[in-house]
Amino acid sequence: MATPATRRKLLGRLSLPERRFVAEALRTETVGGVLLLAAAIAALLWANIPAVSDSYESVRSFHIGPAALGLDLSLQHWAADGLLAVFFFVAGIELKRELVAGDLRDAKAAALPVIAAVCGMAVPALVYLLVNTLGGGSTTGWAVPTATDIAFALAVLAVIGTSLPSALRAFLLTLAVVDDLFAILIIAVFFTNTIDFAALGGAVAGLVLFWFLLRAGVRGWYVYVPLALVIWGLMYNSGVHATIAGVAMGLMLRCTRREGEEHSPGEHIEHLVRPLSAGLAVPLFALLSAGVSLSDEAIAQVFTRPETLGVVIGLVVGKTVGIFGGTWLAARFTKAEISEDLAWPDVLAVSCLAGIGFTVSLLIGELAFAGDPVLTDEIKAAVLFGSLIAAIIASVMLKLRNRTYRLLTEAEDRDEDHDGIPDIYEEEDPEYHLRMARIHEEKAAEHRRRAATAAPAPGPAAGPEPDGTGGEATGGSSTRADRPA
């Protein structure tokens, strides 16, 4: 009789190398997310305190750069096109690594996050289009609620003090990576109006040279950084959004390790650049882009104007329904079972958390409504409110399961034999059990030694106390009386 095939686990335990990579990546993103949150709050205060609000607009509209090269840009423009190129460079490396060494290299393992991410972008876009079709609004901003900001989501986790198990964190990270890929495609395809083919040809030639130097093994930041700046400048002047240059260069890096390498070149460069992206580039973008008016009238517009209402509902409802529904469909048709440590409410909470769409949503909002500064600010306010509502709902849902998450995280981190490898990854290793046996035998011997040292010296039997109770309090019992004979 044939034995039934083992059903694949949904959100099961990560491999040890993958777990370590996810932990390192998310550690940096969490710190960056807290800085991002602080920058967003600072921008809102700066833009809404009457005494300094005028200076906020003056600073972000201040122009700097060589006009002869077509780069006389405002600081806000530099942040959106320049600083975010660093963010998308890191996103390109992440995507390359996931494709060649991470979860996305295996088609079966990749099916879940890819389907969830695609549904998590399609449903918010459909929600936005539905709201604006029925309300008579502009459909131009359909892509605004499609993005997920992993750094902001992790900052929320840090603030509420919730530690997700590694499988849920990896799911959230992979969702964000796939999300970034589609956001890049949306920006490249839908927000490129005119193309300067000469500049674009120069950018492509620069990328070919970049690729050739990498394959030739040429090293040195003094070679690649100037070349990257030239490629970025040409890409910007071509009419294609300049962040595409960052993604392309990130995808060219080798992310597989060769014999004798502790880290691949892509992993090494990502380790160097990620703190710059998460700790400086993205927070500065937020500081120069998130400052919008929060007057009573502006807040009312967020929940009454179809364009802004579509963004809010898209982020809060569309993202949750899309990711959760996509995950359920993937599990249903691949016959995967959810890990016994987790439950579907956990997937629902993470799906809601993914409704925090900040950095890329703000960028797409600026691109979609570039000719209408008033509506652009209202769209940004909608992104802020939608992200805030999604964060609050997700926080409540995650807090309800916080005790379970804490126990799972403690089990994942436990290393009683102190060999640097969590015990949960060594349960099938006989050497681990022999080490643990020796550790427990040594502890037992130590306790026996202490018991012998602490034993009272033999002496004459104590007589009865003067009250005649033999040392027992009236109506009570001694400590020994509670012990079994």
Side-chain angles (χ1 to χ4, degrees):
M1 179 179 178
T3 57
T6 303
R7 299 185 73 178
R8 191 166 56 84
K9 290 295 182 183
L10 178 67
L11 301 179
R13 185 190 308 165
L14 303 177
S15 66
L16 184 57
E18 185 72 8
R19 182 179 182 273
R20 285 173 171 167
F21 171 80
V22 169
E24 177 63 27
L26 296 187
R27 189 178 298 113
T28 304
E29 291 288 358
T30 300
V31 175
V34 173
L35 294 175
L36 175 62
L37 182 60
I41 294 172
L44 290 172
L45 293 174
W46 193 357
N48 287 278
I49 296 176
V52 295
S53 58
D54 290 341
S55 67
Y56 179 73
E57 187 58 39
S58 299
V59 168
R60 69 176 182 175
S61 60
F62 179 77
H63 278 243
I64 189 172
L69 298 177
L71 297 175
D72 181 19
L73 310 177
S74 67
L75 291 181
Q76 183 180 6
H77 209 160
W78 274 110
D81 287 85
L83 293 177
L84 284 192
V86 179
F87 167 79
F88 278 108
F89 174 70
V90 174
I93 300 175
E94 287 179 337
L95 178 60
K96 178 66 174 290
R97 186 200 166 275
E98 287 292 327
L99 288 170
V100 301
D103 286 344
L104 298 183
R105 73 185 186 279
D106 178 6
K108 290 183 179 179
L112 170 64
V114 170
I115 292 173
V118 170
C119 293
M121 298 188 79
V123 176
L126 291 173
V127 167
Y128 179 93
L129 290 172
L130 179 63
V131 170
N132 281 272
T133 299
L134 296 177
S138 170
T139 58
T140 308
W142 62 270
V144 175
T146 61
T148 293
D149 194 311
I150 181 67
F152 217 122
L154 293 172
V156 170
L157 293 178
V159 169
I160 67 175
T162 296
S163 179
L164 287 183
S166 59
L168 284 178
R169 285 177 173 260
F171 179 59
L172 185 60
L173 177 61
T174 309
L175 274 178
V177 170
V178 179
D179 196 291
D180 287 341
L181 169 63
F182 285 102
I184 292 160
L185 293 175
I186 288 171
I187 291 171
V189 174
F190 295 98
F191 296 105
T192 299
N193 298 321
T194 58
I195 297 179
D196 182 332
F197 287 99
L200 182 60
V204 171
L207 288 171
V208 171
L209 178 59
F210 189 89
W211 179 87
F212 177 79
L213 292 173
L214 288 172
R215 293 302 173 271
V218 176
R219 296 187 178 184
W221 65 268
Y222 47 83
V223 174
Y224 292 102
V225 171
L227 178 58
L229 291 174
V230 171
I231 294 171
W232 175 87
L234 288 168
M235 188 69 75
Y236 174 81
N237 281 286
S238 73
V240 177
H241 201 271
T243 54
I244 304 301
V247 177
M249 287 183 279
L251 287 171
M252 289 181 181
L253 294 176
R254 177 169 60 83
C255 293
T256 52
R257 299 177 189 178
R258 292 176 179 169
E259 187 175 354
E261 287 184 339
E262 185 177 353
H263 302 287
S264 68
E267 290 172 325
H268 176 67
I269 293 173
E270 181 185 12
H271 181 74
L272 295 175
V273 180
R274 185 187 286 276
L276 176 64
S277 170
L280 180 64
V282 175
L284 278 178
F285 168 76
L287 182 65
L288 295 171
S289 295
V292 296
S293 172
L294 294 181
S295 63
D296 293 342
E297 182 181 354
I299 294 174
Q301 288 278 23
V302 168
F303 297 99
T304 56
R305 187 164 183 163
E307 293 89 349
T308 51
L309 185 61
V311 170
V312 173
I313 298 176
L315 288 171
V316 177
V317 178
K319 271 288 184 183
T320 305
V321 172
I323 294 175
F324 182 82
T327 306
W328 184 86
L329 288 173
R332 174 70 176 80
F333 290 105
T334 61
K335 299 187 182 303
E337 291 180 339
I338 195 166
S339 171
E340 59 272 7
D341 295 328
L342 300 172
W344 282 107
D346 300 319
V347 180
L348 183 64
V350 171
S351 302
C352 187
L353 188 66
I356 300 175
F358 189 76
T359 305
V360 180
S361 289
L362 292 178
L363 174 62
I364 294 177
E366 290 181 359
L367 296 174
F369 299 100
D372 190 340
V374 174
L375 183 53
T376 298
D377 279 353
E378 290 176 353
I379 289 293
K380 289 181 179 180
V383 170
L384 295 175
F385 276 102
S387 299
L388 177 62
I389 294 169
I392 291 172
I393 296 173
S395 297
V396 172
M397 297 174 70
L398 291 170
K399 272 296 184 182
L400 294 175
R401 293 274 290 169
N402 192 43
R403 183 175 179 276
T404 299
Y405 297 152
R406 188 173 64 252
L407 293 175
L408 289 174
T409 303
E410 289 174 356
E412 289 178 352
D413 294 337
R414 187 176 297 116
D415 182 18
E416 293 186 356
D417 59 345
H418 306 293
D419 65 345
I421 300 175
D423 297 338
I424 200 169
Y425 289 95
E426 299 184 288
E427 293 175 344
E428 305 300 323
D429 182 5
E431 288 297 322
Y432 161 73
H433 294 288
L434 292 174
R435 285 196 302 273
M436 290 304 301
R438 287 194 295 270
I439 290 171
H440 287 300
E441 286 166 1
E442 290 171 1
K443 287 182 178 179
E446 175 65 16
H447 282 294
R448 283 192 290 269
R449 185 189 64 78
R450 291 188 179 186
T453 303
E465 294 294 327
D467 63 0
T469 60
E472 295 182 10
T474 305
S477 63
S478 68
T479 304
R480 290 178 180 270
D482 290 335
R483 300 177 181 171

